[in-house]
Amino acid sequence: MSRSAASGAVADPDREPPALAALPPAAPAPAAHRPWVRRLARSLAWNAVSEFTARGASLWLSFACARALPVEAFGRFAYALALAQYVWLIGDTVANGGYATRELARVAHENPGAAPALEGRLLAMRLAAAAILTAVMLAVLALARLPADLHGALAGASVFFLAYAAFPDWALRAHEDFRGLALANAAAAGVLLAGTLFWLPRHPSAGVATALWAGSFAVAAAITLVRTARRRRLALRGGDPLASHTNRSFVFSLGAIGGIGCAQAPMLLVGSLATPLAAGLFGAAYRFLLVVINGFSVLWWPLMPVLVRSRPGERDFGDALAAMTSVVLLLGLPALLAFTLWPRELLTLAFGPRYAPGAPVLRIAGLVVPLFAGTALLEQTSLALGGEGVRARVNAAALAVLVGLGLLLAPSRGPAGVALALLAAYAVSFGAYAVRHHAVLPWSAIARRARGPLALNAGLAIAWCTARALHAPALPALVVAAALYL
């Protein structure tokens, strides 16, 4: 999809990636100065603050709920969050957030005057889809006979649809306003922290927990909408016809359904097939993996504008991918080592001793981290090249592997079997992306950049293995090694 959003053309999912001649020309920039490097570094810094604030608040919510709620209620809470985010994929097909970011960034670069109308159109589409989903979910809850704690959890989660649809994080990313996004996430995190400290202990239920989670998006939405409107980047009238964006967003969203589905389906499988106790144990371990997975979005959103403005074979394109590979290894390999070497200790420190039996799931989750990170980097490359069709097919195959193996292994191996299915799914998607885009990836530059992170993590592995052999306390070993690593 190399044409701007104003073209109104429907993407062909069988053209992936398009011919290089069809891609938009790179933005003119003196090679000696390469201003994208400084802009990318600034965006990464603010996006790191933004994402770590948001993910830290989400992790804090999990910790608070795990300690305030019974294990069974915590399982309902985790299940409701996964279900709400999965149902939102239906609304996301109308105006996908990633699609909106890419198209708005492209239009803002090629035709800045058309950007406000496009932004307003996309926001209106997302709000309309959210209103329909909210109405449907409330109707189902009114008619269905569900356990009280599950009913309350889903009712609280229903707030999520409108709150998230009104949160124009995609617009701030397209305009590279990561500072504004960080401020909004900080405010939402503050509200979430206050709620878990003062409200949840007095009303310990899964419904209150999910309502606090969904309400935090409403706080972020209010701040970002005001900021966007004050800068006159939003026009609620005009723009392309509705169908032009709906059709193209649908193609884009097919891949998102598979990709996000791979992240959310494990909790849904365990919540549906296992006991509430097993779901609670799995949910605690899986929250660690989700925090790491979501943390990698620090890298992807600032990278997208750089790849959109350049083309394969150019220095900027290759350098950006090689540099991001190095960062992926620096962040992902320590998580792999920590999850596989210290699973019981991490679960006990974070959630309490009741959750230590979830260690086998967390150990497998550690192996998932580098496969997910590599898959996500290749996925961003594919999208920047217009490869929506590639992503849709790869992620659909990975989701099919996950669900099929999960249903096969869950009866005999329990939650650990679902975790193994997730590992296999990401192995499939990483291999498929690597084969499909082999010709455009800067393999030699990637190999050079990977040497340092690999050597550094080899030293970290030796340090942690030695600490375990000497029966050193977990927390000091983790903290000291992490400080030396940094």
Side-chain angles (χ1 to χ4, degrees):
M1 286 181 58
S2 59
R3 289 164 288 186
S4 72
S7 67
V10 177
D12 181 358
D14 293 322
R15 293 182 61 213
E16 67 286 355
L20 296 185
L23 292 170
H33 295 90
R34 301 170 71 208
W36 69 268
V37 177
R38 178 176 296 180
R39 185 168 57 249
L40 177 61
R42 183 171 60 249
S43 296
L44 281 172
W46 276 113
N47 202 40
V49 174
S50 172
E51 291 294 332
F52 291 152
T53 299
R55 306 312 172 188
S58 178
L59 187 59
W60 166 263
L61 177 64
S62 296
F63 294 160
C65 291
R67 295 178 182 275
L69 304 176
V71 176
E72 292 82 359
F74 181 76
R76 301 294 196 193
F77 160 77
Y79 179 79
L81 262 61
L83 182 62
Q85 293 175 84
Y86 206 75
V87 170
W88 171 247
L89 292 177
I90 300 173
D92 214 34
T93 60
V94 176
N96 179 272
Y99 165 83
T101 297
R102 188 188 70 179
E103 293 304 304
L104 187 57
R106 182 168 294 164
V107 169
H109 171 64
E110 297 175 354
N111 185 13
L118 173 60
E119 187 171 337
R121 170 63 72 181
L122 293 170
L123 178 61
M125 292 163 61
R126 288 171 66 85
L127 288 172
I132 294 172
L133 289 177
T134 302
V136 171
M137 188 166 185
L138 292 177
V140 170
L141 290 175
L143 298 174
R145 294 182 178 181
L146 300 173
D149 55 349
L150 180 58
H151 188 280
L154 294 176
S158 65
V159 180
F160 166 76
F161 300 126
L162 280 171
Y164 187 66
F167 181 28
D169 53 343
W170 46 271
L172 297 181
R173 288 168 180 147
H175 294 299
E176 298 181 85
D177 185 10
F178 292 97
R179 180 175 179 271
L181 190 57
L183 294 175
N185 281 335
V191 171
L192 195 60
L193 179 64
T196 55
L197 290 177
F198 301 109
W199 186 257
L200 184 62
R202 294 176 175 82
H203 306 276
S205 71
V208 170
T210 54
L212 287 172
W213 167 75
S216 66
F217 289 99
V219 174
I223 292 174
T224 50
L225 284 173
V226 170
R227 183 181 181 90
T228 301
R230 290 180 62 183
R231 295 193 175 190
R232 298 181 179 179
R233 287 179 175 166
L234 188 64
L236 297 179
R237 294 183 179 181
D240 291 346
L242 179 66
S244 67
H245 294 298
T246 301
N247 293 340
R248 290 188 291 160
S249 177
F250 178 75
V251 176
F252 196 101
S253 296
L254 289 177
I257 291 173
I260 299 176
C262 284
Q264 298 297 340
M267 191 66 238
L268 295 176
L269 284 172
V270 175
S272 301
L273 301 176
T275 65
L277 177 62
L281 295 175
F282 182 89
Y286 199 62
R287 290 304 293 175
F288 271 111
L289 178 61
L290 288 179
V291 167
V292 174
I293 286 177
N294 292 329
F296 277 109
S297 60
V298 170
L299 309 178
W300 313 142
W301 293 117
L303 176 65
M304 177 62 77
V306 176
L307 297 181
V308 166
R309 289 191 296 261
S310 58
R311 293 187 294 181
E314 293 183 349
R315 181 184 177 187
D316 289 357
F317 188 93
D319 285 356
L321 284 179
M324 204 58 70
T325 300
S326 177
V327 176
V328 162
L329 293 174
L330 286 169
L331 296 178
L333 293 180
L336 181 154
L337 295 173
F339 290 175
T340 54
L341 294 175
W342 306 94
R344 294 182 66 87
E345 294 81 359
L346 287 172
L347 287 168
T348 300
L349 288 170
F351 295 97
R354 296 179 298 166
Y355 293 87
V361 172
L362 186 56
R363 186 173 286 113
I364 298 171
L367 302 176
V368 172
V369 171
L371 283 175
F372 165 81
T375 296
L377 180 59
L378 294 177
E379 182 180 19
Q380 293 301 306
T381 305
S382 182
L383 292 176
L385 296 174
E388 287 90 333
V390 172
R391 184 175 73 154
R393 286 191 287 272
V394 170
N395 288 353
L399 182 59
V401 169
L402 169 58
V403 174
L405 281 180
L407 292 174
L408 180 66
L409 297 177
S412 59
R413 307 200 59 170
V418 177
L420 287 171
L422 180 65
L423 180 65
Y426 279 124
V428 168
S429 57
F430 177 81
Y433 277 126
V435 170
R436 182 62 184 85
H437 295 296
H438 180 273
V440 301
L441 294 173
W443 293 107
S444 58
I446 289 174
R448 287 194 301 271
R449 289 292 192 113
R451 294 170 188 167
L454 290 174
L456 193 59
N457 278 276
L460 183 62
I462 293 172
W464 275 342
C465 288
T466 302
R468 288 200 63 85
L470 297 176
H471 302 288
L475 185 58
L478 287 166
V479 172
V480 170
L484 292 174
Y485 183 84
L486 290 174

